Amino acid sequence: MRIAFCCTDHKPEPWLAGLRAALPEADFFVWTPGAPAADHAIVWSPPQQFIDEQPGLRTLFNIGAGVDALLKLRLPPGLQVVRLDDAGMAVQMAEYVCHAVIRHFREFDVYEADAAQARWSFRKPRARAEFPVGLLGLGVLGSRVAQALAQFEFPVKGWSRTPRAVDGVECFHGAGQLDAFLAASRVLVCLLPLTPDTAGILNRAHLARLQPGGYVINVARGGHLVEEDLLALLDEGHLAGATLDVFRQEPLPLEHPFWRHPKVTVTPHTSARTLRDESIAQIARKIGALSRGEPIAGLVDRGRGY
Ligand SMILES: NC(=O)c1ccc[n+]([C@@H]2O[C@H](COP(=O)([O-])OP(=O)(O)OC[C@H]3O[C@@H](n4cnc5c(N)ncnc54)[C@H](OP(=O)(O)O)[C@@H]3O)[C@@H](O)[C@H]2O)c1
């Protein structure tokens, strides 16, 4: 079994060492133009040339949860695409979102500014019941984040494409229930895949439906957010702030208003990183299962886009 490694922005050596140790019977190699045919490939942002030169590939293992960039390539119809499911990302996402929600709810950003001025001043406690958190997306990451927020006793709402049941979460689904979900939320967290149906979903019409003093956390993809709409709603006062990890253009350009906006917190697409050891173990398990003809989790439905 030959397995190509074609991952932009990742040093191949430590990946190959881990993969060879996990699957000694397979022949792993770093793809270069003209390389011989492989059965499977481990990819991140591969060039179109890689796909075109490897028509016999059976599986693409994407070393991330989001496959929006991969699905923009011309892929042969029978090629199966497999995303990472969790692989250590869900707990990171739970940490990131809980941190952002609690920092805003408890006004730790205000305390930080006060402490910088050596100012000892208390803020009035706020009622948790007045900070319902709505999660767009109740998949692998969204459902883990929902559980973590519920542990802190925030009211948690969730929205998915198909009906879902998550303990402690009021669940909504489908386009018909989106407005009711938004109206029930004050803090909005985006954990959707980027698809033709979800692109631009964080727009003025939807964000305006959040409860007054709304707060936006985008940890999914920059293409979900209409950046000018967010800026306008922040400046008009309908939204209290935003924590943003992903952007239409990354790295975020130096002159972008988000960097210096007093109500916006920026992080550099770091909310849930691909962890090499966990990812290698998961991919190796899945390759083993495929070769035994067993089903695997994380198969992407290319028609649906995630
Ligand atoms: N910032 C980062 O560092 C980072 C790291 C990892 C992942 N991500 C992003 O997070 C995304 C989510 O990851 P995941 O593993 O949780 O994905 P997932 O398991 O595929 O879950 C996706 C969720 O979104 C829902 N959904 C999809 N399309 C929808 C639509 N049109 N309307 C309503 N709900 C819709 C799905 O509904 P159903 O449950 O009905 O299918 C599901 O609940 C990834 O696609 C990626 O873009 C970001």
Side-chain angles (χ1 to χ4, degrees):
M1 178 171 36
R2 287 179 55 78
I3 305 178
F5 182 87
C6 181
C7 299
T8 319
D9 299 337
H10 290 75
K11 282 203 188 90
E13 296 81 12
W15 280 88
L16 289 186
L19 287 161
R20 285 175 181 140
L23 273 183
E25 66 278 21
D27 173 13
F28 287 96
F29 66 96
V30 178
W31 178 79
T32 48
D39 303 295
H40 305 295
I42 295 166
V43 297
W44 182 254
S45 295
Q48 183 65 50
Q49 185 185 1
F50 167 72
I51 304 291
D52 295 345
E53 283 191 10
Q54 293 280 332
L57 270 181
R58 284 185 268 148
T59 322
L60 288 182
F61 289 94
N62 187 54
I63 59 166
V67 290
D68 43 291
L70 197 51
L71 296 188
K72 281 193 196 134
L73 298 176
R74 284 185 314 279
L75 303 177
L79 178 58
Q80 58 183 354
V81 176
V82 180
R83 40 68 59 97
L84 286 181
D85 50 306
D86 190 349
M89 282 187 281
V91 69
Q92 296 179 68
M93 206 48 110
E95 286 165 352
Y96 184 101
V97 173
C98 287
H99 175 267
V101 171
I102 292 169
R103 176 172 178 262
H104 172 60
F105 169 63
R106 292 290 305 273
E107 301 185 87
F108 288 133
D109 48 344
V110 180
Y111 284 114
E112 270 166 35
D114 281 352
Q117 307 285 330
R119 205 165 34 228
W120 183 276
S121 70
F122 292 108
R123 314 282 302 171
K124 221 169 120 204
R126 311 208 275 191
R128 208 170 292 267
E130 289 170 17
F131 282 80
V133 183
L135 296 168
L136 289 164
L138 277 178
V140 174
L141 303 181
S143 53
R144 179 69 182 83
V145 170
Q147 282 166 7
L149 287 165
Q151 283 290 312
F152 286 107
E153 300 176 20
F154 287 101
V156 184
K157 324 281 169 184
W159 184 71
S160 51
R161 196 176 53 83
T162 57
R164 297 272 158 197
V166 182
D167 267 358
V169 179
E170 187 186 353
C171 293
F172 300 74
H173 69 274
Q177 294 184 4
L178 179 58
D179 283 354
F181 159 81
L182 292 167
S185 306
R186 175 158 172 183
V187 179
L188 184 69
V189 181
C190 184
L191 267 167
L192 291 167
L194 185 62
T195 69
D197 288 339
T198 65
I201 193 165
L202 302 176
N203 57 35
R204 174 180 265 280
H206 290 150
L207 298 180
R209 292 190 184 278
L210 292 177
Q211 295 176 3
Y215 195 90
V216 176
I217 299 172
N218 189 17
V219 278
R221 286 288 183 266
H224 287 120
L225 177 66
V226 182
E227 297 183 342
E228 318 76 76
D229 289 1
L230 176 76
L231 286 166
L233 287 164
L234 288 168
D235 294 341
E236 290 161 21
H238 180 69
L239 295 178
T243 292
L244 306 174
D245 186 49
V246 288
F247 305 91
R248 285 188 176 254
Q249 192 184 337
E250 296 181 5
L252 187 64
L254 203 58
E255 64 286 0
H256 199 290
F258 285 160
W259 281 120
R260 278 163 284 276
H261 198 291
K263 295 181 180 174
V264 177
T265 299
V266 167
T267 54
H269 200 144
T270 194
S271 52
R273 305 285 290 269
T274 293
L275 302 179
R276 194 170 55 229
D277 291 351
E278 284 84 340
S279 305
I280 287 172
Q282 184 174 110
I283 292 169
R285 270 197 310 276
K286 288 180 179 177
I287 292 174
L290 285 178
S291 54
R292 292 188 297 277
E294 295 166 6
I296 56 166
L299 267 178
V300 171
D301 178 334
R302 285 172 48 189
R304 200 175 63 171
Y306 73 100

